[in-house]
Every structure is written in C-alpha cells, then in structure tokens.
Amino acid sequence: TMGTISFLTRAQRLLRIRNQLLRECLAEVLATFVMMVSRARGWLGAGGCHVLSPYSIAGAHMNPAFSLAMCLTEQFPWWKFPIFVVVQTLGSFISAGAVYILYYDAIWHHSNGTLTVTGPQETASIFATYPADFVSIGNGFLDQVIGTGVLIIVVMGLMDPRNKPVPKGLEPVVVALLVLSIECSMGANCGCPLNPARDIGPRLFTYLAGWGPEVFSRGNGWWWVPLVAPLLGAAVGTYLYLLFVAFHYPEEKSEVLAEQGSIVLVNTAISSADIGRSPKERDSGETEPAGYPPPHSPSSTVSPTVAITPLKES
C-alpha cells in the first residue's frame, strides 16, 4: 500500500493542474460527456434523462443556454462564454463517439450496413435531433424558444434563495425531473434538444463518421435551429424571471445577497483574484486563494478586549 500511495502522490504532483480556468474546462468536458452518454437514445427508441445541473464540479453548466443565462444575470463573465461553448461541444462530440462504439454492432445491424439519415432504418437520430415530418422550421424554432425558456425560468427559481430554493443537495434531482417533464410534454415536435452543444457536437460526429452531409440538410436545413433557438429561449426565460420575480424583491445590499448565495441580480465587482474562479466558488467560498479571508486589521470594528479590575471595598 505504501508503494501505491507513493505512486499516487507522485502522479498527483505531476498531473495536477493549478490553472482555475483549465480545471473548469476539464470539469465541463467531463460533466457534459457523462450527461450525454447517460441520455443517449438507443436505436430501439429508449430515451434517457438530460441532467442540467448547475451544482456540479466547478459549477459545470453543460449547456450554452444556461451559460448565457448566467452571463445575462452577471453571474458569469462574458469572456468565458465562448470558451465554455467550445468545451461543452467537445464533451458532446466525445460522448457521441463513445455511444457509437457502445452500440456499434446494434447500429450496423439495424441499418443493414448503410448509415442513413432518413427512412425506417435511419440511425442518425440516435445522436442529434431532427424535426418530425409535419413540423415546419418556424414551429420547431418556437418550440425550442418556449421549451428552453421554461427550463431556464424554473432553474433560476430553484436556485434563487430569495424565492424558495430546493433543499441543498437535491438540486440535480429536481432539475432532472424538470427536464424529463419538459421532454415528455414538449418532445414530440423535434426531440427537445434544449441545448446547442448537445445537438451540434453529435451532429458533427455523425457527419464525420459516415452519415454524410444529409445530417445538415434533413428537415429543410434544421441543424441551425437547435443552435439559435435555445439561446434565444434562455434570454427570454432569464428576462421573464427577472421581470416577474427578481425585480420585485425588497432592496438588499449586494454583499448580503452574495452571502446568501443568490445568483440573481448580485452586482458585485469582480476582483483580479476572482477572475480565475467560478461564481459558485466566489459565493460558497470553495477553493479560496491563500490568505483568504484576510486577517483582521487593527482598524477592525470589533472592540478590543478590555481587562476589568474589580473595585476594592473600602
């Protein structure tokens, strides 16, 4: 065991990444990968559950729509947004490859040796979403705006401690049930992507893996709708929550809201020490830099201890 511990210690020292942004990106790739693999739609038609958990390692979003909502509420820096979109898409792309390997024999058996995008033996919809034959581009676009808007509204309500938050630790479960209900009630039109990275990553994989350019042309060029509509839906959902709920709270100091862990309308300045740290880390105090919190200064408002000398009886 001593040899094993020594090896693990050496491996940790060699492989440990100290750059906060890179650690967040690795966590985002892994979280998106696990989410996508766990919700892969089998060729027999079995569906999975899409877990959009904002309470994951390093505050993983797993969805550009959620990242956009955090940017709009000033809980996430805009400069990180394109970086997270890329790594989320990368995680989805890798997960599509894993699903392809996992169901390799089943896919080729079902397709009779031909990878097709349409017809009774198509297998492209295992990976990316496609609209039903009766759904127009306009209807599908509206479907995704409404679906993603509902998702973001409820997620923001669940995460807002000034509303009535979910008991700590149960957030992923509640959000999973939320997304499952949205998929069951609104998934008939186009499979309910709700996530640009969840759609474009696997679609790119199928294009490269042999399904060809038809993955972009099917459904009258449907491919761009799951990219644009969820982002618009996220903006609509964010502003609706602010307009109907968050704008009407009694005014409180931003420091108090930050201490409560509020993700809505906490307009606190981002210091240079916070640039490499996620909003969750700044709010919850996790992985704080050395020397934090700062020691009390002599000018502290805490009264010094004064020695009390009892009076002598005369």
Side-chain angles (χ1 to χ4, degrees):
T1 56
M2 292 299 296
T4 303
I5 295 175
S6 177
F7 170 76
L8 293 177
T9 302
R10 291 197 302 269
Q12 180 185 20
R13 291 175 179 174
L14 179 64
L15 300 177
R16 182 180 180 184
I17 296 173
R18 290 174 173 79
N19 182 275
Q20 182 64 31
L21 176 61
L22 185 54
R23 287 158 55 190
E24 290 178 1
C25 290
L26 290 176
E28 197 72 20
V29 170
L30 182 61
T32 308
F33 171 84
V34 172
M35 179 266 291
M36 286 297 301
V37 169
S38 66
R39 81 180 301 263
R41 294 183 181 276
W43 63 279
L44 292 176
C49 183
H50 172 173
V51 182
L52 173 75
S53 170
Y55 293 93
S56 184
I57 301 172
H61 298 172
M62 296 177 278
N63 187 340
F66 183 79
S67 299
L68 177 62
M70 293 297 94
C71 289
L72 293 174
T73 55
E74 300 181 1
Q75 305 308 307
F76 192 67
W78 281 99
W79 65 268
K80 280 188 180 181
F81 177 69
I83 299 174
F84 266 46
V85 171
V86 171
V87 297
Q88 289 159 0
T89 303
L90 177 61
S92 295
F93 182 92
I94 297 173
S95 71
V99 170
Y100 178 71
I101 294 172
L102 179 64
Y103 288 105
Y104 181 84
D105 290 339
I107 289 172
W108 285 97
H109 173 76
H110 180 72
S111 63
N112 285 334
T114 304
L115 300 178
T116 58
V117 182
T118 58
Q121 294 178 314
E122 66 88 17
T123 48
S125 59
I126 297 174
F127 301 91
T129 62
Y130 297 91
D133 294 337
F134 55 82
V135 176
S136 65
I137 290 290
N139 193 184
F141 190 95
L142 183 62
D143 174 284
Q144 284 305 287
V145 170
I146 295 175
T148 311
V150 171
L151 173 67
I152 295 299
I153 288 174
V154 180
V155 168
M156 293 186 72
L158 294 174
M159 295 175 60
D160 186 1
R162 293 173 293 167
N163 189 15
K164 190 173 181 181
V166 176
K168 189 172 179 60
L170 293 179
E171 301 93 351
V173 177
V174 175
V175 176
L177 293 175
L178 164 66
V179 177
L180 178 62
S181 67
I182 293 176
E183 288 191 343
C184 291
S185 61
M186 304 177 63
N189 282 337
C190 50
C192 214
L194 304 177
N195 185 337
R198 169 259 176 276
D199 197 84
I200 191 61
R203 195 180 301 273
L204 288 171
F205 174 83
T206 53
Y207 172 77
L208 297 174
W211 279 265
E214 194 178 356
V215 299
F216 292 102
S217 61
R218 178 181 165 182
N220 296 319
W222 163 261
W223 68 272
W224 65 271
V225 175
L227 286 180
V228 178
L231 296 178
L232 179 59
V236 171
T238 299
Y239 289 125
L240 283 177
Y241 185 82
L242 298 180
L243 179 63
F244 282 85
V245 180
F247 283 166
H248 311 293
Y249 287 128
E251 291 187 5
E252 297 181 63
K253 291 183 179 180
S254 59
E255 293 82 1
V256 176
L257 297 179
E259 194 172 305
Q260 293 175 349
S262 176
I263 67 160
V264 182
L265 294 179
V266 182
N267 190 15
T268 55
I270 299 177
S271 65
S272 58
D274 285 336
I275 290 178
R277 303 168 65 212
S278 68
K280 179 192 171 195
E281 291 172 328
R282 291 197 297 272
D283 291 344
S284 63
E286 296 175 4
T287 64
E288 289 147 349
Y292 185 90
H296 292 292
S297 63
S299 61
S300 174
T301 57
V302 179
S303 301
T305 303
V306 179
I308 301 175
T309 304
L311 297 176
K312 295 181 180 181
E313 295 182 358
S314 57

